[in-house]
Amino acid sequence: KTLAGLPDVLCLHAGRDVLLAWELKRESGRPTAIQRAVLALLERVPGVDARIVRPSDWSEILEEL
């Protein structure tokens, strides 16, 4: 069982030395209050890229990966 609000993607990007903590949403999707709170906490941790990712972000994501 996962924790409520935990991002959909938790992945270590070794080339960037960063933990990707991404909440996946549709273009019109809205994060829940707990998802926003967890992302806000994760954003404060050094070495963590915490954010909401949408289909329109795909080209940017491909460049980063």
XYZ file of all heavy atoms in Angstrom:
507
model
N 0.849 -1.176 0.000
C 0.000 0.000 0.000
C 0.891 1.234 0.000
O 1.842 1.331 0.766
C -0.893 -0.019 1.235
C -1.874 1.108 1.270
C -2.826 0.944 2.421
C -3.745 2.121 2.479
N -4.707 2.019 3.528
N 0.573 2.202 -0.852
C 1.363 3.425 -0.913
C 0.755 4.497 -0.013
O -0.414 4.425 0.357
C 1.454 3.966 -2.351
O 0.132 4.248 -2.811
C 2.118 2.970 -3.280
N 1.551 5.465 0.295
C 1.087 6.566 1.127
C 0.235 7.523 0.311
O 0.536 7.796 -0.847
C 2.290 7.326 1.684
C 3.220 6.527 2.588
C 4.446 7.351 2.926
C 2.501 6.110 3.846
N -0.789 8.066 0.912
C -1.633 9.046 0.236
C -0.796 10.258 -0.145
O 0.012 10.739 0.644
C -2.774 9.468 1.149
N -0.956 10.704 -1.378
C -0.252 11.895 -1.818
C 1.115 11.647 -2.399
O 1.733 12.552 -2.952
N 1.623 10.421 -2.293
C 2.928 10.104 -2.841
C 2.876 10.257 -4.361
O 1.952 9.769 -5.001
C 3.306 8.673 -2.474
C 4.751 8.271 -2.645
C 5.642 9.078 -1.707
C 4.922 6.800 -2.366
N 3.859 10.947 -4.970
C 3.827 11.160 -6.421
C 3.812 9.842 -7.194
O 4.310 8.818 -6.726
C 5.124 11.927 -6.692
C 5.450 12.602 -5.409
C 4.984 11.645 -4.341
N 3.267 9.896 -8.407
C 3.160 8.716 -9.261
C 4.525 8.180 -9.667
O 4.709 6.981 -9.803
C 2.367 9.052 -10.529
C 0.943 9.453 -10.214
O 0.270 8.699 -9.486
O 0.504 10.518 -10.686
N 5.469 9.077 -9.903
C 6.804 8.684 -10.354
C 7.819 9.046 -9.274
O 7.919 10.201 -8.858
C 7.190 9.393 -11.674
C 8.632 9.103 -12.051
C 6.244 8.979 -12.789
N 8.559 8.049 -8.815
C 9.710 8.246 -7.934
C 10.855 7.515 -8.613
O 10.855 6.282 -8.695
C 9.471 7.680 -6.541
C 8.486 8.442 -5.681
C 8.249 7.696 -4.370
C 8.980 9.845 -5.395
N 11.798 8.273 -9.143
C 12.841 7.685 -9.970
C 14.149 8.423 -9.737
O 14.190 9.652 -9.770
C 12.421 7.796 -11.430
S 13.619 7.179 -12.588
N 15.205 7.675 -9.528
C 16.526 8.277 -9.365
C 17.143 8.485 -10.738
O 17.304 7.535 -11.508
C 17.424 7.368 -8.526
C 18.834 7.883 -8.271
C 18.784 9.206 -7.531
C 19.627 6.858 -7.498
N 17.461 9.732 -11.053
C 18.123 10.077 -12.321
C 19.604 10.211 -12.004
O 20.074 11.264 -11.569
C 17.560 11.377 -12.876
C 18.008 11.692 -14.263
N 19.322 11.827 -14.611
C 17.301 11.907 -15.391
C 19.416 12.115 -15.893
N 18.198 12.165 -16.389
N 20.341 9.120 -12.194
C 21.749 9.078 -11.808
C 22.601 10.087 -12.571
O 23.540 10.652 -12.024
C 22.305 7.674 -12.008
N 22.270 10.343 -13.840
C 23.040 11.295 -14.633
C 22.947 12.719 -14.107
O 23.874 13.512 -14.276
N 21.849 13.046 -13.459
C 21.652 14.378 -12.886
C 21.783 14.377 -11.371
O 21.648 15.424 -10.735
C 20.265 14.916 -13.260
C 20.131 15.269 -14.723
C 18.730 15.765 -15.075
N 18.211 16.725 -14.139
C 16.906 16.902 -13.902
N 16.005 16.189 -14.532
N 16.494 17.790 -13.040
N 21.986 13.216 -10.764
C 22.029 13.102 -9.302
C 20.811 13.746 -8.656
O 20.926 14.581 -7.751
C 23.313 13.723 -8.742
C 24.552 12.946 -9.116
O 24.432 11.718 -9.317
O 25.629 13.549 -9.229
N 19.650 13.365 -9.143
C 18.412 13.939 -8.638
C 17.341 12.849 -8.549
O 17.339 11.884 -9.314
C 17.933 15.106 -9.549
C 17.524 14.611 -10.918
C 16.820 15.896 -8.915
N 16.477 13.000 -7.560
C 15.313 12.134 -7.424
C 14.133 12.832 -8.084
O 13.785 13.957 -7.706
C 14.994 11.858 -5.953
C 13.731 11.038 -5.702
C 13.920 9.598 -6.175
C 13.342 11.080 -4.247
N 13.549 12.187 -9.073
C 12.372 12.735 -9.738
C 11.142 12.293 -8.954
O 10.924 11.099 -8.746
C 12.285 12.216 -11.175
C 13.530 12.410 -12.036
C 13.324 11.758 -13.398
C 13.893 13.864 -12.159
N 10.378 13.242 -8.508
C 9.146 12.979 -7.767
C 8.033 13.715 -8.509
O 7.761 14.881 -8.250
C 9.264 13.468 -6.328
N 7.441 13.020 -9.460
C 6.488 13.654 -10.371
C 5.082 13.120 -10.163
O 4.849 11.918 -10.153
C 6.891 13.410 -11.814
C 8.167 14.070 -12.226
C 8.891 14.992 -11.523
C 8.882 13.867 -13.439
N 10.001 15.371 -12.227
C 10.024 14.690 -13.408
C 8.689 13.065 -14.544
C 10.939 14.739 -14.451
C 9.595 13.110 -15.574
C 10.692 13.943 -15.531
N 4.161 14.033 -10.051
C 2.740 13.709 -10.003
C 2.210 13.870 -11.427
O 2.311 14.948 -12.009
C 2.002 14.649 -9.044
C 0.527 14.377 -8.930
C 0.223 12.993 -8.375
O 0.928 12.533 -7.463
O -0.744 12.375 -8.861
N 1.683 12.802 -12.022
C 1.202 12.829 -13.389
C -0.268 13.243 -13.418
O -1.094 12.660 -12.716
C 1.366 11.450 -14.028
C 2.769 10.850 -13.963
C 2.768 9.462 -14.593
C 3.788 11.755 -14.625
N -0.551 14.246 -14.239
C -1.925 14.742 -14.349
C -2.291 14.955 -15.807
O -1.439 15.279 -16.635
C -2.093 16.080 -13.607
C -1.989 15.977 -12.111
C -3.151 15.205 -11.552
C -3.062 15.038 -10.055
N -4.049 14.105 -9.547
N -3.553 14.795 -16.110
C -4.077 15.183 -17.424
C -3.977 16.691 -17.528
O -3.786 17.387 -16.517
C -5.519 14.743 -17.571
C -5.677 13.251 -17.562
C -7.121 12.873 -17.666
N -7.210 11.413 -17.618
C -8.328 10.756 -17.641
N -9.476 11.400 -17.685
N -8.329 9.444 -17.609
N -4.167 17.212 -18.728
C -4.078 18.668 -18.914
C -5.024 19.408 -17.971
O -4.671 20.438 -17.420
C -4.381 19.052 -20.368
C -3.290 18.699 -21.333
C -1.946 19.339 -21.020
O -1.888 20.481 -20.534
O -0.924 18.675 -21.277
N -6.209 18.874 -17.798
C -7.197 19.558 -16.952
C -7.244 19.007 -15.531
O -8.037 19.473 -14.715
C -8.581 19.450 -17.590
O -8.945 18.083 -17.709
N -6.388 18.024 -15.236
C -6.412 17.399 -13.914
C -5.868 18.322 -12.835
O -4.979 19.131 -13.081
N -6.437 18.194 -11.654
C -6.009 19.014 -10.522
C -5.538 18.101 -9.403
O -6.192 17.122 -9.076
C -7.167 19.875 -10.043
C -7.697 20.798 -11.143
C -8.840 21.601 -10.661
N -8.301 22.624 -9.778
C -8.999 23.603 -9.259
N -10.283 23.678 -9.501
N -8.426 24.486 -8.477
N -4.403 18.459 -8.789
C -3.922 17.649 -7.664
C -4.817 17.837 -6.444
O -5.416 18.897 -6.249
C -2.524 18.198 -7.404
C -2.558 19.590 -7.928
C -3.522 19.584 -9.082
N -4.877 16.802 -5.634
C -5.627 16.893 -4.388
C -4.828 17.739 -3.393
O -3.644 18.013 -3.597
C -5.857 15.494 -3.786
O -4.585 14.930 -3.444
C -6.593 14.583 -4.756
N -5.463 18.090 -2.322
C -4.791 18.881 -1.284
C -3.587 18.123 -0.723
O -2.520 18.705 -0.522
C -5.775 19.228 -0.168
N -3.733 16.828 -0.496
C -2.619 16.047 0.056
C -1.496 15.931 -0.971
O -0.319 15.984 -0.614
C -3.081 14.662 0.575
C -1.965 13.971 1.352
C -3.563 13.779 -0.536
C -1.610 14.598 2.648
N -1.813 15.791 -2.250
C -0.778 15.746 -3.289
C -0.003 17.061 -3.330
O 1.226 17.057 -3.432
C -1.388 15.453 -4.657
C -1.862 14.026 -4.801
C -2.653 13.795 -6.056
O -3.331 14.686 -6.572
N -2.576 12.579 -6.572
N -0.704 18.170 -3.232
C -0.029 19.488 -3.218
C 0.863 19.613 -1.992
O 1.987 20.116 -2.071
C -1.063 20.620 -3.249
C -1.730 20.784 -4.598
C -2.530 22.073 -4.703
N -3.472 22.269 -3.608
C -4.721 21.845 -3.602
N -5.205 21.183 -4.626
N -5.505 22.065 -2.567
N 0.391 19.146 -0.854
C 1.165 19.238 0.380
C 2.436 18.384 0.307
O 3.518 18.827 0.704
C 0.306 18.823 1.577
N 2.305 17.166 -0.214
C 3.471 16.283 -0.329
C 4.483 16.869 -1.305
O 5.689 16.901 -1.024
C 3.042 14.856 -0.746
C 4.247 14.013 -1.126
C 2.253 14.199 0.370
N 4.024 17.379 -2.448
C 4.945 18.004 -3.407
C 5.645 19.209 -2.794
O 6.840 19.420 -3.011
C 4.206 18.406 -4.682
C 3.849 17.278 -5.634
C 3.004 17.803 -6.791
C 5.080 16.580 -6.158
N 4.924 19.997 -2.020
C 5.521 21.163 -1.371
C 6.634 20.739 -0.412
O 7.690 21.387 -0.348
C 4.455 21.971 -0.637
N 6.415 19.669 0.326
C 7.459 19.158 1.226
C 8.663 18.649 0.438
O 9.807 18.927 0.778
C 6.907 18.045 2.110
C 5.959 18.464 3.216
C 5.341 17.226 3.864
C 6.681 19.295 4.254
N 8.393 17.902 -0.621
C 9.475 17.340 -1.424
C 10.284 18.425 -2.129
O 11.494 18.285 -2.310
C 8.917 16.348 -2.446
C 8.431 15.020 -1.876
C 7.640 14.245 -2.926
C 9.599 14.200 -1.356
N 9.632 19.518 -2.529
C 10.332 20.625 -3.199
C 11.404 21.228 -2.305
O 12.372 21.800 -2.796
C 9.342 21.719 -3.602
C 8.492 21.365 -4.792
C 7.422 22.411 -5.064
O 7.173 23.282 -4.192
O 6.815 22.342 -6.139
N 11.238 21.117 -1.008
C 12.189 21.701 -0.054
C 13.418 20.821 0.168
O 14.372 21.258 0.809
C 11.480 21.960 1.272
C 10.375 22.998 1.123
C 9.526 23.241 2.336
N 10.081 22.853 3.618
C 9.357 22.625 4.690
N 8.045 22.733 4.627
N 9.921 22.295 5.828
N 13.389 19.596 -0.339
C 14.493 18.658 -0.127
C 15.533 18.843 -1.234
O 15.202 18.727 -2.420
C 13.983 17.201 -0.120
C 15.135 16.240 0.054
C 12.928 17.012 0.956
N 16.782 19.121 -0.875
C 17.820 19.256 -1.900
C 17.960 17.963 -2.716
O 17.891 16.864 -2.174
C 19.097 19.516 -1.097
C 18.623 20.042 0.221
C 17.307 19.367 0.474
N 18.107 18.123 -4.020
C 18.289 16.970 -4.891
C 17.005 16.293 -5.325
O 17.050 15.227 -5.928
N 15.865 16.914 -5.032
C 14.575 16.346 -5.436
C 13.902 17.299 -6.422
O 13.783 18.497 -6.158
C 13.645 16.108 -4.218
C 12.269 15.635 -4.680
C 14.262 15.098 -3.278
N 13.505 16.766 -7.559
C 12.742 17.511 -8.562
C 11.290 17.099 -8.410
O 10.866 16.077 -8.939
C 13.278 17.184 -9.960
C 12.483 17.844 -11.079
O 11.545 18.600 -10.797
O 12.803 17.574 -12.253
N 10.534 17.844 -7.621
C 9.135 17.527 -7.326
C 8.238 18.488 -8.099
O 8.376 19.703 -7.968
C 8.878 17.649 -5.831
N 7.333 17.905 -8.889
C 6.443 18.758 -9.679
C 5.293 17.963 -10.269
O 5.295 16.738 -10.251
C 7.207 19.444 -10.791
C 7.853 18.497 -11.766
C 8.513 19.265 -12.871
N 9.748 18.624 -13.272
C 10.278 18.779 -14.461
N 9.706 19.547 -15.342
N 11.406 18.176 -14.762
N 4.348 18.696 -10.818
C 3.238 18.113 -11.557
C 3.650 18.088 -13.018
O 4.172 19.078 -13.541
C 1.954 18.931 -11.358
C 1.529 18.855 -9.888
C 0.854 18.442 -12.297
C 0.401 19.779 -9.524
N 3.440 16.956 -13.657
C 3.803 16.781 -15.058
C 2.545 16.476 -15.863
O 1.742 15.634 -15.460
C 4.833 15.634 -15.208
C 5.136 15.373 -16.662
C 6.102 15.962 -14.443
N 2.405 17.191 -16.987
C 1.230 17.035 -17.854
C 1.682 16.631 -19.256
O 2.850 16.815 -19.598
C 0.456 18.341 -17.913
C -0.023 18.805 -16.548
C -0.770 20.140 -16.609
N -1.066 20.616 -15.276
C -2.052 20.181 -14.514
N -2.854 19.242 -14.954
N -2.262 20.681 -13.310
N 0.789 16.109 -20.067
C 1.169 15.726 -21.433
C 1.841 16.858 -22.213
O 2.751 16.605 -23.002
C -0.162 15.324 -22.079
C -0.993 14.847 -20.920
C -0.603 15.755 -19.778
N 1.450 18.077 -21.990
C 2.053 19.206 -22.709
C 3.507 19.433 -22.304
O 4.231 20.161 -22.982
C 1.246 20.492 -22.469
O 1.197 20.781 -21.085
N 3.960 18.803 -21.229
C 5.349 18.921 -20.776
C 6.253 17.876 -21.429
O 7.455 17.845 -21.169
C 5.432 18.728 -19.249
C 4.629 19.753 -18.484
O 4.592 20.917 -18.915
O 4.037 19.372 -17.458
N 5.695 16.997 -22.265
C 6.414 15.836 -22.764
C 7.733 16.181 -23.462
O 8.752 15.558 -23.204
C 5.513 15.024 -23.671
C 6.110 13.711 -24.058
C 6.429 13.312 -25.314
C 6.475 12.634 -23.200
N 6.962 12.051 -25.289
C 7.002 11.607 -24.005
C 6.411 12.430 -21.815
C 7.466 10.402 -23.481
C 6.875 11.238 -21.296
C 7.391 10.239 -22.114
N 7.742 17.173 -24.348
C 8.995 17.492 -25.065
C 10.073 17.973 -24.098
O 11.237 17.603 -24.229
C 8.742 18.518 -26.176
O 8.257 19.716 -25.645
N 9.697 18.754 -23.118
C 10.644 19.220 -22.101
C 11.179 18.039 -21.278
O 12.364 17.957 -20.976
C 9.970 20.242 -21.185
C 10.862 20.741 -20.076
C 10.126 21.653 -19.103
O 9.120 22.278 -19.492
O 10.559 21.719 -17.940
N 10.290 17.129 -20.947
C 10.682 15.960 -20.152
C 11.686 15.104 -20.927
O 12.687 14.653 -20.371
C 9.441 15.138 -19.762
C 8.634 15.897 -18.738
C 9.837 13.764 -19.228
C 7.260 15.340 -18.504
N 11.424 14.897 -22.194
C 12.339 14.087 -23.014
C 13.732 14.705 -23.057
O 14.736 13.991 -23.009
C 11.787 13.923 -24.419
C 10.618 12.964 -24.558
C 10.119 12.929 -25.996
C 10.991 11.567 -24.085
N 13.815 16.028 -23.134
C 15.106 16.697 -23.133
C 15.833 16.498 -21.803
O 17.033 16.323 -21.774
C 14.937 18.190 -23.412
C 14.581 18.496 -24.841
C 14.439 19.996 -25.087
O 15.101 20.786 -24.372
O 13.683 20.350 -25.992
N 15.095 16.551 -20.721
C 15.694 16.400 -19.386
C 16.182 14.981 -19.135
O 17.174 14.777 -18.446
C 14.678 16.770 -18.310
C 14.362 18.242 -18.261
C 13.385 18.560 -17.148
O 13.491 17.957 -16.063
O 12.503 19.397 -17.381
N 15.467 14.009 -19.663
C 15.839 12.628 -19.397
C 16.980 12.194 -20.286
O 17.726 11.344 -20.005
C 14.626 11.703 -19.599
C 13.457 11.951 -18.637
C 12.306 11.030 -18.984
C 13.876 11.739 -17.194
